[in-house]
């Protein structure tokens, strides 16, 4: 359970969420992105293809990250949401706030 | 979670009769997800794991996580000596969850979820929204410190 | 069985840590098999149902049925107001079952199972034999009213 | 859960055990066979292909039945035991007391 960050050749920070994004680990994700912003990273992809669960505070953390990235003139995308997770974004209308791609590949191509 | 939780299961072997699983959970946010995992497992022990059952179990987990987090944070201010009561009833037609804290409660009618485009940037306020969207019915006691959520079984 | 049974589960969500399931069963023979079914279900809730796990579960059921029947018949003379205590511990290496009655106990060393060809026609005396053959170890308290049976996990 | 008795064209009473033979229903089986003996039936096949569980008092009931049938000069056979049930007969040495066939068909052919 945790996050793996790797930099793709196009300069995108790909953060893989392993398992779940919840009240217990959202702080870790926020920190990871903040540090990358401090190191002048500006393109972020959060990938959920290995995640099965996001709670409301996990959604809150994503909203917070997206604000920070935007404030720095950066770009944030999400990918790999399964059917349940995608419906979570729909019912909270957060699908209108985030750029969501089916796969990492599609998301990376969109930067 | 290092401390084991203790849950009480009341049931017959007849799956057509109600099963009741109850427990008390200390007000520690880190314990929520693991407790929920265990509760869901025992509430559905004995059901054939069909895809519908899996979806129902996922919904149940979300209802439990969100209501427990609220009870712990707003009801008990994360005081680990205070316990949140959880009771799950499962019968052939529905799954019903009661989550009760000992706090002051609140007025659920006064809560506005951040659904307006201008509000989407708000970081909080989506817990009750998720509960209302996923559950088939939601009710509170008059004091507002006990929530009852029902899922119809397909 | 019309009355639901009430069992207590103590566990963390970590399957590598011990799970404990305990209950008290009224001394009614008709309730034995259904209680055992429920106990086995909850003791193993969360384990992947492999064929090995199924075999282990079947062995567990036999150990529970036979020891419960003895506690009810010989320990409590089928007095429904007396309760048999059951405690099951499951960890990654073993399943251990304790069954305790409040009767006078007996001397297990004095029991001879009907294995001689001349004895095969005896209708009783095979419960402890099955327990000894299926369990990896069996022990009694000095009074002989509490049996402890261990199954190694494969 | 229970027992179904049918008479085969060779005159064998075939008793099918449904589910389990245990302390709670063994009396019913003993009665069923006793009544058939009273009606002059002499060939019995108890089939376990739909049974998953026998406890020690179920084994005791089979021993009792086998004695009664023998006393009347009759014949009792068992069939359809799964691997777990068969091992139960082996560990109690009751496989030496009973005539056990794999299938009903084989058992019926043996009468
Ligand atoms: N058990 C509770 N006790 C007191 N207040 C509560 C309780 N549950 C919810 N609330 C109130 O409802 C509000 C909305 O809760 P929720 O939708 O879960 O979002 P969030 O927890 O992100 O604020 C909370 O901010 C809180 O004021
Ligand atoms: N809990 C108990 N309390 C007293 N006596 C017991 C108990 N369990 C077993 N026994 C004694 O051991 C004997 C053998 O038991 P068992 O092998 O289960 O066969 P059965 O129950 O068919 O007699 C019983 O007849 C009884 O005398």
């Amino acid at each position: 359970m945790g996050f793996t960050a790797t930099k793709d050749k196009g300069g995108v920070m790909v953060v893989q969420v392993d398992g779940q994004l919840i009240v217990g680990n959202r702080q870790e994700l926020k920190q990871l992105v903040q540090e990358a912003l401090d190191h002048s990273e500006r393109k972020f992809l959060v990938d959920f293809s290995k995640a099965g669960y996001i709670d409301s505070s996990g959604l809150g953390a994503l909203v917070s990250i997206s604000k920070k990235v935007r404030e720095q003139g950066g770009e944030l995308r999400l990918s790999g949401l399964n059917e349940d997770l995608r419906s979570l974004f729909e019912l909270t209308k957060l699908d209108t706030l985030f750029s969501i791609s089916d796969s990492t590949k599609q998301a990376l191509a969109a930067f | 979670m290092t401390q084991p939780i203790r849950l009480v299961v009341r049931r017959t072997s007849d799956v057509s009769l109600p099963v009741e699983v109850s427990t008390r959970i200390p007000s520690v946010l880190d314990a929520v997800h693991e407790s929920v995992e265990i509760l869901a497992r025992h509430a559905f022990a004995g059901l054939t794991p069909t895809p519908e059952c899996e979806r129902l179990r996922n919904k149940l987990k979300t209802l439990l996580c969100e209501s427990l987090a609220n009870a712990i944070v707003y009801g008990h201010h994360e005081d680990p000596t205070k316990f949140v009561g959880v009771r799950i009833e499962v019968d052939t037609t529905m799954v019903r969850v009661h989550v009760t804290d000992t706090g002051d409660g609140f007025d659920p009618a006064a809560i506005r979820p951040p659904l307006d485009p201008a509000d989407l940037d708000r970081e909080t306020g989506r817990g009750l929204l998720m509960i209302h969207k996923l559950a088939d019915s939601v009710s509170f006691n008059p004091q507002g410190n006990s929530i009852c959520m029902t899922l119809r079984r397909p």
Side-chain angles (χ1 to χ4, degrees), chain A, chain B:
Chain A
M1 299 285 192
F3 308 99
T4 330
T6 44
K7 196 157 164 183
D8 128 286
K9 48 183 185 292
V12 180
M13 282 293 293
V14 181
V15 182
Q16 170 105 35
V17 179
D18 190 11
Q20 40 195 21
L21 175 58
I22 55 174
V23 62
N25 66 2
R26 63 179 164 153
Q27 214 51 46
E28 205 182 313
L29 177 67
K30 284 166 83 169
Q31 235 162 52
L32 193 155
V33 172
Q34 187 55 57
E35 278 164 21
L37 280 171
D38 294 347
H39 286 82
S40 309
E41 301 297 342
R42 289 295 177 268
K43 295 181 191 169
F44 293 89
L45 170 60
V46 183
D47 179 56
F48 290 93
S49 51
K50 286 189 178 158
Y53 195 75
I54 307 180
D55 70 8
S56 68
S57 63
L59 289 179
L62 291 174
V63 169
S64 153
I65 288 168
S66 111
K67 268 198 284 193
K68 293 214 176 97
V69 170
R70 259 182 287 145
E71 278 162 17
Q72 303 292 327
E75 197 178 350
L76 171 73
R77 291 179 175 277
L78 312 180
S79 67
L81 296 162
N82 70 28
E83 203 183 326
D84 278 350
L85 294 183
R86 190 176 268 271
S87 80
L88 206 62
F89 280 79
E90 282 159 16
L91 64 88
T92 55
K93 299 216 172 147
L94 288 179
D95 56 336
T96 63
L97 187 77
F98 291 102
S99 308
I100 301 176
S101 311
D102 283 343
S103 67
T104 339
K105 208 174 148 188
Q106 286 171 296
L108 288 173
F111 274 97
Chain B
M1 186 169 65
T2 41
Q3 275 300 97
I5 72 165
R6 183 175 177 284
L7 46 101
V8 176
V9 181
R10 244 180 80 89
R11 69 181 300 169
T12 72
S13 67
D14 186 342
V15 282
S16 70
L17 292 175
V19 175
E20 192 182 290
V21 178
S22 51
T23 191
R24 293 167 75 239
I25 291 177
S27 296
V28 176
L29 278 177
D30 274 354
V32 166
H33 285 266
E34 294 184 284
S35 306
V36 164
E37 186 59 47
I38 295 171
L39 281 164
R41 205 178 277 168
H42 285 273
F44 285 177
L47 299 192
T48 331
T50 57
E52 290 84 49
C53 179
E54 272 312 301
R55 289 191 79 87
L56 198 69
R57 190 202 296 263
N58 283 335
K59 283 189 181 180
L60 172 64
K61 283 195 213 170
T62 299
L63 299 183
L64 280 168
C65 282
E66 298 299 334
S67 55
L68 271 167
N70 282 348
I72 289 171
V73 173
Y74 304 114
H76 293 163
H77 309 287
E78 302 190 46
D79 175 349
T81 65
K82 291 186 173 162
F83 285 81
V84 182
V86 181
R87 188 155 57 87
I88 306 172
E89 300 158 90
V90 181
D91 71 20
T92 48
T93 65
M94 53 104 220
V95 180
R96 179 165 290 150
V97 185
H98 304 264
V99 173
T100 305
D101 61 62
T102 58
D104 298 334
F106 73 114
D107 176 11
I111 303 293
R112 302 250 138 265
L115 284 174
D116 280 352
D119 289 341
L120 288 180
D121 256 5
R122 259 177 60 195
E123 289 175 35
T124 59
R126 294 188 179 85
L128 289 174
L129 173 63
M130 280 162 64
I131 289 173
H132 279 284
K133 293 277 184 180
L134 292 179
D136 292 298
S137 84
V138 179
S139 61
F140 293 84
N141 67 344
Q143 200 188 325
N145 64 353
S146 182
I147 184 171
C148 169
M149 301 159 283
T150 308
L151 289 168
R152 265 198 309 275
R153 281 182 63 175

